């Protein structure tokens, strides 16, 4: 069985639900999670649901995906680890998680750090790095987690992003105009079939951006 790799780095402030999302992806219980204090790499071979809709004529050659999920510590004092994570594990995409119940300012700072650390991985020279950033084909996936605490309203998540995160998000788009910029709203603790499909869709989108099908 042929397999393709998807390398994804998961970032965001402490307590936003990064580890919970990874545990869910791995099919583990999400009930007892504790704060992450180091870079933790998780590997899981998954089958994306969308693949099951393929007709016999468009035979899917790659039946499974080996997801390398890099879980980063979210405590502010440990944000410098993020740079190491980006350097050590060449990432296809960054999932940045936002917690709607937390202060937006610190989360905007965290998002800005992600943009800056990623830039540093492109070149030691800032001017050159900025130039490379304009051509860089990365994926930035903004995920509003804990939508259950917003009454499961995607509209409210959208409103939150517009009201509080628009500037930081636009800055990222301007710095990396050739990259993919997406957002989604989820609840990492919601184990329903519908939520499974939404979360699956995030990985499906990243897969499509990278492999073009
Ligand atoms: N209500 C709700 N709580 C959630 C959700 N996702 C995660 N949590 C809770 O948020 C808390 C923090 O989750 P973690 O996954 O440890 O967060 P983290 O981002 O990994 O935190 P650090 O490792 O410190 O960076 C836990 O108590 C989770 O149960 C969600 O979708 N809804
Ligand atoms: Mg964690």
């Amino acid at each position: 069985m042929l397999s393709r790799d998807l390398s994804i780095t998961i970032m965001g402030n402490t307590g936003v639900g990064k580890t919970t999302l990874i545990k869910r992806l791995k099919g583990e219980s999400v009930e007892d999670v504790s704060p992450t204090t180091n870079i933790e790499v998780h590997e899981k071979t998954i089958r994306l649901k969308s693949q099951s809709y393929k007709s016999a004529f468009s035979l899917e050659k790659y039946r499974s995906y080996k997801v390398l999920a890099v879980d980063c510590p979210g405590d502010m004092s440990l944000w410098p680890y993020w740079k190491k994570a980006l350097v050590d594990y060449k990432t296809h995409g960054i999932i940045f998680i936002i917690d709607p119940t937390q202060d937006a300012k610190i989360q905007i700072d965290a998002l800005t750090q992600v943009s800056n650390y990623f830039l540093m991985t492109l070149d030691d020279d800032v001017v050159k790095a900025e130039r490379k950033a304009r051509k860089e084909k990365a994926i930035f996936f903004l995920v509003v987690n804990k939508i259950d605490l917003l009454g499961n309203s995607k509209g409210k998540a959208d409103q939150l992003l517009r009201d509080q995160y628009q500037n930081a998000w636009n800055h990222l788009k301007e710095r990396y105009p050739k990259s993919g910029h997406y957002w989604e709203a989820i609840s990492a603790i919601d184990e329903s079939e519908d939520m499974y499909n939404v979360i699956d869709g995030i990985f499906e989108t990243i897969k499509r951006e990278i492999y073009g099908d």
Side-chain angles (χ1 to χ4, degrees), residues 14-20 33 35-36 74 145-146 148-149 187-189:
T14 185
V16 298
K18 300 180 291 297
T19 305
T20 305
V33 282
T36 310
N145 188 28
K146 308 193 185 181
D148 51 300
L149 302 178
S187 169
I189 57 162

Side-chain angles (χ1 to χ4, degrees), residues 2-210:
L2 289 167
S3 162
R4 283 165 159 176
D5 291 347
L6 285 183
S7 174
I8 295 163
T9 309
I10 303 178
M11 293 167 163
N13 196 36
T14 185
V16 298
K18 300 180 291 297
T19 305
T20 305
L21 176 62
I22 291 173
K23 277 177 162 264
R24 214 199 119 108
L25 180 71
K26 293 177 77 184
E28 293 173 6
S29 160
V30 298
E31 263 161 37
D32 51 11
V33 282
S34 44
T36 310
T37 55
N38 213 328
I39 298 166
E40 286 175 10
V41 183
H42 300 261
E43 221 179 271
K44 168 82 177 163
T45 299
I46 58 166
R47 235 171 231 262
L48 294 171
K49 233 183 168 195
S50 60
Q51 290 177 261
S52 57
Y53 302 127
K54 298 244 174 211
S55 80
F57 296 103
S58 61
L59 199 64
E60 176 64 73
K61 205 172 152 197
Y62 299 92
R63 296 224 171 264
S64 68
Y65 286 82
K66 196 171 84 195
V67 177
L68 198 76
V70 183
D71 189 8
C72 293
D75 188 274
M76 197 181 195
S77 65
L78 304 175
W79 289 358
Y81 282 58
W82 298 358
K83 186 181 170 201
K84 184 170 159 40
L86 291 171
V87 170
D88 289 357
Y89 305 95
K90 183 87 187 102
T91 190
H92 287 125
I94 294 173
I95 293 180
F96 184 85
I97 303 189
I98 289 172
D99 180 341
T101 66
Q102 284 190 27
D103 178 39
K105 192 181 170 300
I106 187 168
Q107 298 193 84
I108 290 166
D109 286 350
L111 184 56
T112 306
Q113 277 304 340
V114 168
S115 173
N116 290 342
Y117 284 143
F118 190 75
L119 191 77
M120 288 177 202
T121 68
L122 300 179
D123 203 296
D124 291 336
D125 180 300
V126 180
V127 178
K128 282 187 189 158
E130 286 281 8
R131 206 177 302 134
K132 287 181 182 173
R134 300 200 62 73
K135 295 182 191 150
E136 180 68 18
K137 288 195 169 136
I139 299 158
F140 296 97
F141 219 118
L142 209 59
V143 170
V144 179
N145 188 28
K146 308 193 185 181
I147 194 183
D148 51 300
L149 302 178
L150 294 177
N152 285 314
S153 162
K154 191 170 175 180
K156 280 192 184 157
D158 184 29
Q159 195 64 48
L160 176 91
L161 290 182
R162 281 171 205 272
D163 291 349
Q164 319 228 35
Y165 295 89
Q166 194 76 54
N167 286 347
W169 191 226
N170 285 345
H171 185 265
L172 204 66
K173 287 182 182 164
E174 282 158 21
R175 187 179 253 176
Y176 305 101
K178 292 269 165 40
S179 292
H181 305 270
Y182 299 91
W183 82 276
E184 189 53 270
I186 65 164
S187 169
I189 57 162
D190 176 349
E191 299 188 56
S192 69
E193 179 76 8
D194 282 355
M195 190 53 68
Y196 174 81
N197 288 334
V198 174
I199 292 175
D200 189 70
I202 295 175
F203 293 94
E204 171 65 27
T205 301
I206 294 174
K207 179 207 100 172
R208 208 179 326 108
E209 273 271 341
I210 296 165

